[in-house]
Amino acid sequence: GITVEEVLNRALRKLTGEEITVIGASRTDSGVHALGNVAVFDSETSIPPERISYALNQRLPDDIVVIRSEEVPADWHPRYCNSKKTYEYHILNTEVPDPTKRHNTYFVSYKLDVAKMREAAEYLLGEHDFASFCNIRTNVEDTVRTIYELEVWESECAYARNGHAAGRELTIRIKGNGFLYNMVRIIVGTLLRVGRGFYTPEQVKEILEAKDRQAAGVTAPPQGLMLMQIEYEK
């Protein structure tokens, strides 16, 4: 399938006349969105670095935008620098789905206990082995990661504001030093099972300690997930 990387490469090649290949900071699953991804590339173009974003946006489709462009040291690599990544997962918790939000929220019709979801999230904070929360096809030797923040909050949705249907929107915001394959989506799927009453908050600690993917909840769908920000150490 077509990828953001592929489209960026093609647009940069047309702009510079060079054989450009971008290196992204984070690969997202198909269907996942990003507001704050980072990419780097080498070029001998005479276009000022800060102007490349403007020139590139004229050549990109409406669903890809370059927010800013700047020059970095030649040895700077977006995946091998210490960083913190922040994701948000958006859930539409209403009686009926909202078709205008189908591409960027996960529709959940059953009631969720947000207080219990927050309590369960506390067990995932800090440095842990997240083997229970990664896809079984994850090809990494080290499954230890650190989660700095994990928040769950709710807000009124458009349906409720206009009196069409009862419900709310839930946001799960997570910040860590790195994430395993499907890790955020599995954490969300597990918290949803807590919110529905299938797991107690305390069971999340047991799931973490089991280091077994089968112990955790299902993988939440991709469309509710968004990469919000990547913060690099100065």
Side-chain angles (χ1 to χ4, degrees):
I2 193 168
T3 65
V4 174
E5 179 181 352
E6 175 187 347
V7 175
L8 280 174
N9 285 339
R10 189 164 60 233
L12 279 165
R13 288 166 187 167
K14 288 181 179 179
L15 175 64
T16 65
E18 301 171 282
E19 191 63 25
I20 300 289
T21 301
V22 301
I23 299 172
S26 182
R27 288 180 175 173
T28 56
D29 300 339
S30 178
V32 174
H33 314 284
L35 282 180
N37 212 337
V38 176
V40 69
F41 65 94
D42 294 323
S43 174
E44 295 180 0
T45 180
S46 60
I47 302 172
E50 67 277 5
R51 300 299 303 174
I52 287 178
S53 58
Y54 298 99
L56 203 53
N57 284 332
Q58 296 175 6
R59 293 163 172 80
L60 290 171
D62 292 341
D63 56 353
I64 302 176
V65 173
V66 179
I67 298 170
R68 187 175 71 251
S69 57
E70 61 188 53
E71 187 173 4
V72 295
D75 60 351
W76 192 83
H77 195 294
R79 287 204 296 270
Y80 302 138
C81 297
N82 291 334
S83 64
K84 296 178 181 178
K85 294 179 181 177
T86 302
Y87 283 90
E88 283 186 2
Y89 196 95
H90 298 270
I91 300 162
L92 185 67
N93 191 201
T94 57
E95 296 173 346
V96 292
D98 181 347
T100 68
K101 292 183 175 293
R102 69 190 185 280
H103 293 307
N104 53 18
T105 60
Y106 174 36
F107 167 62
V108 174
S109 60
Y110 45 79
K111 292 183 178 179
L112 296 169
D113 190 326
V114 177
K116 287 186 177 179
M117 292 171 68
R118 289 174 180 147
E119 186 180 343
E122 292 289 323
Y123 290 103
L124 300 175
L125 291 172
E127 183 179 86
H128 303 285
D129 187 333
F130 284 94
S132 293
F133 294 90
C134 67
N135 189 290
I136 57 173
R137 295 193 300 273
T138 302
N139 188 24
V140 294
E141 294 180 3
D142 185 10
T143 51
V144 174
R145 298 291 186 273
T146 301
I147 292 182
Y148 304 108
E149 299 175 16
L150 181 49
E151 302 174 284
V152 184
W153 72 85
E154 54 187 313
S155 57
E156 190 178 35
C157 67
Y159 268 4
R161 281 197 302 273
N162 296 323
H164 298 313
R168 60 202 170 161
E169 287 190 38
L170 303 183
T171 301
I172 299 173
R173 187 179 179 91
I174 181 168
K175 178 185 289 190
N177 66 349
F179 295 93
L180 302 163
Y181 182 33
N182 287 163
M183 179 174 161
V184 177
R185 290 166 58 192
I186 296 169
I187 287 175
V188 170
T190 303
L191 292 180
L192 285 173
R193 291 186 71 82
V194 172
R196 201 173 179 184
F198 292 135
Y199 299 155
T200 65
E202 295 77 18
Q203 280 181 279
V204 172
K205 184 175 184 293
E206 298 173 10
I207 293 170
L208 193 61
E209 293 171 347
K211 301 177 186 177
D212 180 2
R213 171 65 189 93
Q214 293 184 341
V218 298
T219 305
Q223 70 269 18
L225 185 59
M226 185 173 295
L227 173 61
M228 302 299 293
Q229 184 180 25
I230 302 176
E231 303 168 72
Y232 289 98
E233 287 187 359
K234 298 296 183 183

